[in-house]
Amino acid sequence: MKAKVLLIQNGPATTDPQKNVDDNLALVAEATKDFKPDFVLFSELSNTQYFCGYNTPEHFSLAEPIDGPSVRRHQELAKELGAYVIFPFYEKGEVKGEFYNSAAVIDREGNLVPGDLPDGRQVRVYRKNHIPDQWSYSPGLNERYYFKEGPGLATFKTEYGKISILICYERSFPEAWRVLALQGSKIMFVPVAAWGPNRADSWGGELRTAAIQNGLFVVASNKGGLEETEGPRQMFGASRIFSPLGEELAAGPAGEGPFVLTAELDLDQVDQHGVRYTFFRDRRPELYGTLSDDIARGVL
């Protein structure tokens, strides 16, 4: 089975979420004149600027509920294209004072696809679980000021098999990749808004390694270009699509946006991976008990 992917490498956004949605949908309309995707992915917080780095309460007003106007417009897009749409957005939670860095998975009919957590619970959208707060460069990453952590790592069922999402910073947690691979994910969608120079250096290798080690496709969309909020950020772009066998299927330009990538994923390669790389056969879960032991002791 094969699936066609349309990746939007978002460019610098405005302060108006609906203007950003207009611009993004115009990019999709142009890209799909002669290309029919099965999946569409946008970059992290695709309907807003990346506003983290400063404690500015006004930014909370940008958040929208799951049934808000931005999600509804992407539900219409999914119906128009007959494609799955992964829409990253700033979510206003159901509980007062809760906000999330989220991504909705929308099916071909415009319905939200529920996500399944390993413990059997379901979620309406994916909510970023690993929330950074670090200042190794300026402006820093004070995402904990704006976002509550999500409830767990989710898989979403599609006609192409299970897919999953890791948002930006989460790409650097190998435990998350392996949990989702063991749950049967075939494609990992990674929406990103990143600018740090050290992260740019490690970006492509990190994604390729994760694809090979976990035997799944990686579709990673990073924003590109100079975005001005309280201060400038040069988003490094360089979106990537990798196969489970480590082949680079598409690459976006560095430091530029918006830009559109397309690729065809041969999902049979997920099974081929298990023959070429016998990592899952040779796993020794009984040796990895310190991970669960540390969780039980409250260390992790």
Side-chain angles (χ1 to χ4, degrees), residues 18 21 47 64-75 87:
Q18 294 312 307
V21 171
N47 65 328
E64 298 182 21
I66 293 174
D67 60 355
S70 292
V71 172
R72 290 199 302 269
R73 292 187 67 186
H74 287 80
Q75 289 177 298
F87 168 56

Side-chain angles (χ1 to χ4, degrees), residues 7 10 17 20 56-57 79 142 148 194 216 229 234 268 297:
L7 181 156
N10 288 88
N20 298 326
T56 308
K79 286 193 289 187
N142 67 335
K148 179 180 173 65
L216 40 66
T229 52
Q234 179 62 51
D268 290 339
R297 297 201 316 271

Side-chain angles (χ1 to χ4, degrees), residues 8 10 52-53 77 90 95 97 139 186 191 201 247 260 269 283:
I8 304 298
N10 288 88
C52 304
L77 173 67
Y90 187 21
V95 176
K186 293 186 174 183
D201 291 342
E247 179 186 2
V260 172
Q269 289 186 357
R283 288 177 64 249

Side-chain angles (χ1 to χ4, degrees), residues 48-123:
T48 68
Q49 295 181 319
Y50 183 81
F51 46 79
C52 304
Y54 304 91
N55 291 3
T56 308
E58 289 78 12
H59 292 321
F60 288 108
S61 66
L62 296 171
E64 298 182 21
I66 293 174
D67 60 355
S70 292
V71 172
R72 290 199 302 269
R73 292 187 67 186
H74 287 80
Q75 289 177 298
E76 290 299 319
L77 173 67
K79 286 193 289 187
E80 292 169 8
L81 295 178
Y84 290 89
V85 172
I86 294 90
F87 168 56
F89 70 108
Y90 187 21
E91 181 198 345
K92 182 178 182 180
E94 299 89 348
V95 176
K96 178 177 63 176
E98 291 188 357
F99 300 86
Y100 300 92
N101 187 337
S102 300
V105 178
I106 305 165
D107 70 16
R108 297 180 188 274
E109 288 74 45
N111 303 307
L112 289 175
V113 180
D116 298 309
L117 301 181
D119 63 8
R121 289 177 296 158
Q122 283 197 324
V123 294

Side-chain angles (χ1 to χ4, degrees), residues 45-292:
L45 298 171
S46 64
N47 65 328
T48 68
Q49 295 181 319
Y50 183 81
F51 46 79
C52 304
Y54 304 91
N55 291 3
T56 308
E58 289 78 12
H59 292 321
F60 288 108
S61 66
L62 296 171
E64 298 182 21
I66 293 174
D67 60 355
S70 292
V71 172
R72 290 199 302 269
R73 292 187 67 186
H74 287 80
Q75 289 177 298
E76 290 299 319
L77 173 67
K79 286 193 289 187
E80 292 169 8
L81 295 178
Y84 290 89
V85 172
I86 294 90
F87 168 56
F89 70 108
Y90 187 21
E91 181 198 345
K92 182 178 182 180
E94 299 89 348
V95 176
K96 178 177 63 176
E98 291 188 357
F99 300 86
Y100 300 92
N101 187 337
S102 300
V105 178
I106 305 165
D107 70 16
R108 297 180 188 274
E109 288 74 45
N111 303 307
L112 289 175
V113 180
D116 298 309
L117 301 181
D119 63 8
R121 289 177 296 158
Q122 283 197 324
V123 294
R124 294 183 67 195
V125 297
Y126 180 71
R127 292 169 169 172
K128 187 174 182 177
N129 288 284
H130 304 82
I131 310 297
D133 187 73
Q134 61 96 357
W135 302 89
S136 60
Y137 41 82
S138 182
L141 291 166
N142 67 335
E143 289 196 12
R144 293 183 195 172
Y145 178 74
Y146 293 105
F147 310 132
K148 179 180 173 65
E149 68 276 3
L153 300 166
T155 58
F156 297 81
K157 294 176 183 174
T158 76
E159 66 197 75
Y160 297 94
K162 293 180 181 179
I163 66 169
S164 293
I165 300 166
L166 291 174
I167 298 177
C168 199
Y169 181 57
E170 299 192 291
R171 70 188 184 275
S172 297
F173 291 81
E175 303 91 341
W177 288 89
R178 183 52 57 89
V179 165
L180 292 166
L182 288 171
Q183 293 297 313
S185 284
K186 293 186 174 183
I187 309 172
M188 185 72 75
F189 291 95
V190 188
V192 179
W195 68 94
N198 295 332
R199 302 295 273 151
D201 291 342
S202 63
W203 163 253
E206 190 172 37
L207 295 172
R208 183 172 184 265
T209 297
I212 295 171
Q213 289 184 340
N214 294 285
L216 40 66
F217 286 91
V218 176
V219 181
S221 174
N222 184 32
K223 179 179 286 192
L226 183 65
E227 185 170 270
E228 292 276 357
T229 52
E230 287 92 337
R233 288 184 182 85
Q234 179 62 51
M235 302 291 182
F236 63 74
S239 298
R240 291 289 188 272
I241 302 176
F242 288 102
S243 80
L245 306 179
E247 179 186 2
E248 185 178 86
L249 303 179
E256 300 177 23
F259 193 82
V260 172
L261 294 180
T262 62
E264 184 173 73
L265 314 184
D266 182 355
L267 296 171
D268 290 339
Q269 289 186 357
V270 175
D271 291 328
Q272 293 169 16
H273 175 276
V275 176
R276 177 182 293 186
Y277 300 111
T278 56
F279 305 146
F280 284 77
R281 183 198 67 189
D282 298 334
R283 288 177 64 249
R284 296 284 305 280
E286 72 276 12
L287 303 181
Y288 315 143
T290 53
L291 290 175
S292 57

